[in-house]
Amino acid sequence: MPVPDAPEPLIFERSRPGRRALRLPEIDVPEPSRPEDDLPSGWLRARPPALPEVGEPEVVRHFTRLSRRNFAVDTGMYPLGSCTMKYNPKINDTLAGLDGFAGLHPSAPDALAQGALALLWELEQDLCRLTGMDAFSLQPAAGAHGELVGMLIASAYHRARGDSARRRVVVPDAAHGTNPASAAMAGFEVVEVGTDARGGIDLEQVRAHADGRLAALMLTNPNTLGLFEGEVREVAQVVHQAGGLLYYDGANLNAIVGRARPADMGFDVCHLNLHKTFSTPHGMGGPGAGPVGVTRRLSPYLPGPLVRRRDVPAVAGPRYAWDDPGPESIGRVRALHGNFGVLVRAYAYIRANGGSGLREVSGHAVLAANYLAALLRPWLPASHDRICMHEVVTDGRALAPHGLRALDLCKALLDRGFHAPTMYFPLIVPEALMFEPTETEPREAIEALAAAVGEIVALAERDPEAVRQAPTQTPVGRVDEASAARRPVLRWYPSEGDRAPEG
Amino acid sequence: MEELGPRAPYLPHAPGDVAAMLARLGLPDVEALFSELPEDLRLSAPVDLGPALDEASLARRVGQLAGANTAAGLICFAGGGVYDRYLPAVVQALAQRGEFLTAYTPYQPEVSQGTLQVTFEFQTMVSELFGLPVATAGLYDGSTALAEAVLMSRAATGRRGVAFASGVHPQWRAVVETYGQAQGLVALDLDGHADDVAAVVVQQPDYFGRIVDVEALLARRPAGALGVVAVDPSTLGVLEAPGRQGADVVVAEGQPLGLPLAYGGPYLGLMAARDDLLRRLPGRICGQGRDAAGQRAFVLTLQAREQHIRRARATSNVCTNQAWCALAVTIYLSLLGPRGLAELGRLGYARAHYAAGLLTRIPGVRLAIAGAPFFHEFALRVPEAESLQAAMAAAGFLVGPVIDRHTLLIAVTERRDRGEIDGLAAAMGKVLRDAGA
């Protein structure tokens, strides 16, 4: 048997002229129209695209082999902080694939899509209950998309009030990179504020920016240090008194889902990452979903279309329909109705857990992170000596005396069967390593991860070079990212001679 | 105090595990872990979401919702940028593998070579289809890819205007306008305001299914403006690559290449551009490099453009590249190959023209835009579009979307055979006869 991680050629390198996989139906209409008879020759493809020519068995083997060169939640523990790599229930994939969902065209008349509309409406209600918000849009395709929507809502809100001088968005220095990027994309000037000694947002610095220029402050709670922002209501008060809005980045909701609600903390607008808290598979980097919730005064600005429910006495049960939002809406943020297949999975996850189950989810997520933090403490102390929430940020300088970096420890963890934690984030912690075990890891997996860290630190003392060489048990060794970026090779070419720019 | 053993479905612990972990932490219960939350922010009871469902009950409940979507059982001639194509079993079987489905963004390339190599293959295919040298790893969908392309043009040219050719999908145009409003973007006519046009946007085939003369439309663009073409990628085995017709940036909706209808998503935005736009591209890009031993390895590259490095100065805020959808597209195109893609286009072309011929023989029905060449979709002028769509659904056929009171779209993919097309025409003839009677 070949080793599972043997190099696999590119599918193009397996190509042989004349081979093919899928056979299509024959043309079965009389006197078939042909593009070459109807269209100017310059409109027709002069040279076929160099797609691979391979048989079906080779296609199956190729992608199966590639799959074996991946680490995934289904193959091992994935404590990648800030990403909530929890188990993704298989039943949810099955349900999303049902013909009534997967085979439903988005142009279907509402009357013939009542199940899908009911599901979306119920999901909106669930998310409102869990966050305390009054209305949700399920349109945004991802967390960052939701952030952009939230920032456009803030912009529209201030504009509608004739308050156009508010062009400034405040973010903590520990914020996810998407926060400042989304605010900038929505046309705002971004101002960073610092983190205080306890690891919370620096309230004094927030006060210094609480003026007529403040449009919004973006905060995640717990924050990216994995710590609860205990002064969140004070922050809300300062922001609101200055006329600004408070935005909740829902990336870390898994810590508090079912236990505390952003609206109660004073947040006006939020996005949720359904692929994190609500367990939809991350798919190697999407698709996710980033619904946006708002309090009542912001609901006119939500993007459309929105699902409406009407109780019709004449028929049994309610009827659902798509409705365009009002004139104050920020407009469309994508075509059609959102990442529906993702929404089905999140809906199923919420139904399977119920309110009490989700409360257990956050409880066990926080328990796992604190247990891991306690086990890691001898080698990787937490950045702040507090109870952490769903993740723990550690100071990775333990290896520095041996000339090693946090990166080296991460690569050595790969050799021991674990995905690495998030490295060098948040930026304010030196050699930061951010671990998020999630609630779905058994106790022994958490213990094994901590033991592996201890083993690597011990090895570093004895033989730092061995750690620097890691990983050696993975499909490829350490990849030279710098040289790949210096001379970018971004696609395969049939031969060197074809490398000339196209077009 | 809570029960120590979990009841929620996906939690692994036995009660003893929870007790042991709490003991290690010196805490009495799980509740104590939340002591840092101000007391009045803590919910005292679970949120009321109805009872938790066991898996069988869950399957029944969600199955009933799926079953209520009767439109999914209709023979689908609906279009509007989303097409009911046959999804080969191989696509689903491979894409469902947990090694793909449950991995995340390949931040650790040494254990993500599967993802990265698929991405590299995907980028190669997109580059080939579009006839442009650099492709990204993917964006949310076609409409947001178009918005990103226009914002990129705005940044590259320093100009504020975007000029739409006629026939750009109205929802896509609306998305561009939403994205653009914050950046001072203004929509202009193709023939005016020449000096402030950042991008000219052309859709091929357009919203009405027409094949447009991309080269001629782009040739009219003011000097310095970028040519942005939104294309249906399933036509590109037959139609010329927009990159060889003067486009600087090409975007597409990837749904027609192996993704299910799924009521509008998740889909995939495709994007490729000229070499000199490389460092302005939004989102993930995979590159080929070497590992420490010199063997070929793939890695995310040119990340200095991206939000996690550049923050407020990033080219875009986007993180996800819809990698799983890109995987499905890569598998689908591997199955088709160059000849399959051409046959796919020719089959839809032949069947759509056959369908148009039958339908326009029905009294009161004609092509909305007479004489315009079309590919696999066309706009049909009918007496009353909304009621016709409903009546056709009752007869077993899904048509649309409805464009206006008298117009709807009909799309014919390789999945619709002659019998179904004959059935469509017969049903429409009967519906309109009955309505007129």
Side-chain angles (χ1 to χ4, degrees), chain B residues 353-384:
Chain B
H353 284 75
Y354 173 69
L358 290 187
L359 293 171
T360 53
R361 263 177 246 156
I362 301 169
V365 174
R366 58 184 168 83
L367 289 177
I369 308 163
F374 62 91
F375 200 85
H376 53 51
E377 181 170 21
F378 49 88
L380 211 54
R381 183 90 177 164
V382 298
E384 225 292 11

Side-chain angles (χ1 to χ4, degrees), chain A residues 370-389:
Chain A
N370 279 280
Y371 188 58
L372 177 63
L375 298 180
L376 288 175
R377 192 165 296 139
W379 314 289
L380 296 175
S383 66
H384 294 78
D385 189 20
R386 287 169 55 181
I387 290 183
C388 69
M389 299 303 288

